[in-house]
Amino acid sequence: MLFLILDSQIDITGAVIKVITLPIQINFILGVYLFFIPLLLALVDSTSIDEVVEKLHNQIKQQKESHKSNPKYLSGLSEIEQTIDIGKEEYKESKSNWIRGNILDRLKRWEDGIVRREQYFFGIPHHIKGVSDLPDRGLYNYRPLSGKKTKYIELEVTHYTDQSSYKKIKGAFEQEKKELILKDGAGWAYFVSEPLPERLDTKELRVILGTGLQDYVPFPKLKERNPESVIIFKIKVQKERVLVRTESYKLKSGKEINVKKYAIAGGIYFDDLMKNFTPVGGRYLSKRLEEYHTREEKWGIV
């Protein structure tokens, strides 16, 4: 076995690489070490995910027993359980440490998510059409606003979407259609409280907004939704329709930002809009987009 050693007596810019032959005994020991250590690490890693998944299954089992008279709650638990098992299989099939690490991190987050779902599930507005569960079944830390739930709150919110959806939303507004922004499978539409910095690349923006290809419940995201366009609304809705969370992100530039996100039950209706504010929108000024594409469009009732 040969090893390459860098001569420490010479400056790194002019380093000389020496090749030395180790004694056969050391050779053998190192060979055994290098062969078995990855196997041992893999074994420990495998045990780790098995323990995580077993703990999650026990959590779900206890909650199924506690809420056995609520079919909607039980259905969500079963979907979470299925998602966890899929994650475990993908973890064991993957040869990428980076992918395995991401899968394991997400599975670990379900421990808090399952607790959070039980805490908030029964307080979300199930009476609103389409609302069946928390966003992503509770995986993310969305919380209700404090205060009286029936009280109305005014919010200025920013929505990012692809160009096709942008045109549909703008058209629906101009024709005063009832529904402007449709809800997802769990009954929610998503916004941020303020516009994000310009000149982010598409992948970075997708990560912040969560619009990438992700296997979340209740419905897996089967294709990426690029945030190509941006719309700013002012709305007035009941507090019970609003969930909020705040997360920190470190941009590729090194800058750290805090992003407040809203999930609004039932999507956005024309009647939710503040009458003294006309929505504004246009192309998002992404990293590679030419400036002339990003003119702000005027919205108006037809």
Side-chain angles (χ1 to χ4, degrees), residues 45-185:
D45 207 13
S46 177
T47 302
S48 173
I49 194 169
D50 286 338
E51 290 174 351
V52 168
V53 170
E54 182 180 6
K55 187 174 183 179
L56 294 174
H57 278 307
N58 287 335
Q59 268 187 282
I60 291 171
K61 182 178 179 181
Q62 290 171 6
Q63 286 199 11
K64 281 184 174 180
E65 184 61 30
S66 299
H67 302 286
K68 56 187 176 183
S69 61
N70 191 314
K72 186 185 288 187
Y73 193 84
L74 295 179
S75 175
L77 284 177
S78 295
E79 287 197 27
I80 292 172
E81 197 167 31
Q82 184 179 12
T83 299
I84 289 167
D85 289 339
I86 291 172
K88 178 181 175 181
E89 291 304 311
E90 289 176 344
Y91 177 94
K92 294 197 170 185
E93 290 174 2
S94 175
K95 294 182 171 30
S96 166
N97 289 333
W98 182 80
I99 292 175
R100 286 158 67 97
N102 281 345
I103 294 172
L104 186 58
D105 286 344
R106 186 189 297 178
L107 289 175
K108 287 179 178 178
R109 292 177 72 174
W110 273 117
E111 184 176 348
D112 289 336
I114 293 168
V115 173
R116 185 162 45 244
R117 180 173 182 266
E118 184 178 40
Q119 182 179 1
Y120 297 128
F121 177 87
F122 303 100
I124 62 175
H126 291 281
H127 60 280
I128 292 176
K129 183 180 177 181
V131 174
S132 62
D133 214 312
L134 290 168
D136 294 318
R137 299 282 193 211
L139 180 62
Y140 290 117
N141 191 18
Y142 278 103
R143 296 173 179 271
L145 294 175
S146 59
K148 191 174 180 180
K149 300 305 179 188
T150 55
K151 185 177 179 180
Y152 279 81
I153 183 172
E154 295 179 8
L155 297 171
E156 182 170 307
V157 296
T158 303
H159 182 67
Y160 290 84
T161 189
D162 56 40
Q163 284 181 272
S164 175
S165 296
Y166 170 85
K167 291 176 181 177
K168 290 177 182 177
I169 295 168
K170 186 173 183 289
F173 169 79
E174 292 174 343
Q175 296 172 42
E176 298 186 65
K177 289 186 176 180
K178 182 180 179 181
E179 291 184 284
L180 299 184
I181 297 183
L182 303 179
K183 49 199 172 290
D184 71 354

Side-chain angles (χ1 to χ4, degrees), residues 258-269:
N258 290 322
V259 182
K260 181 185 285 187
K261 301 181 178 183
Y262 294 113
I264 298 181
I268 293 294
Y269 298 93

Side-chain angles (χ1 to χ4, degrees), residues 1 4 43 59 100 102 110 206 222 234 253 258 284:
M1 181 180 291
L4 298 178
L43 181 61
Q59 268 187 282
R100 286 158 67 97
N102 281 345
W110 273 117
R206 280 202 310 257
L222 300 178
K234 278 190 179 179
S253 64
N258 290 322
Y284 168 71

Side-chain angles (χ1 to χ4, degrees), residues 157-166 169 181 189-202 205-206 208-211 225-233 257 259-262 280-286:
V157 296
T158 303
H159 182 67
Y160 290 84
T161 189
D162 56 40
Q163 284 181 272
S164 175
S165 296
Y166 170 85
I169 295 168
I181 297 183
Y190 301 92
F191 307 84
V192 291
S193 63
E194 297 178 355
L196 297 173
E198 294 181 336
R199 293 303 186 187
L200 300 180
D201 66 36
T202 299
L205 199 57
R206 280 202 310 257
I208 296 171
L209 297 170
T211 61
R225 181 164 55 85
N226 289 332
E228 300 162 330
S229 300
V230 56
I231 313 167
I232 299 175
F233 296 96
I257 60 172
V259 182
K260 181 185 285 187
K261 301 181 178 183
Y262 294 113
V280 293
R283 289 294 300 276
Y284 168 71
L285 189 59
S286 61

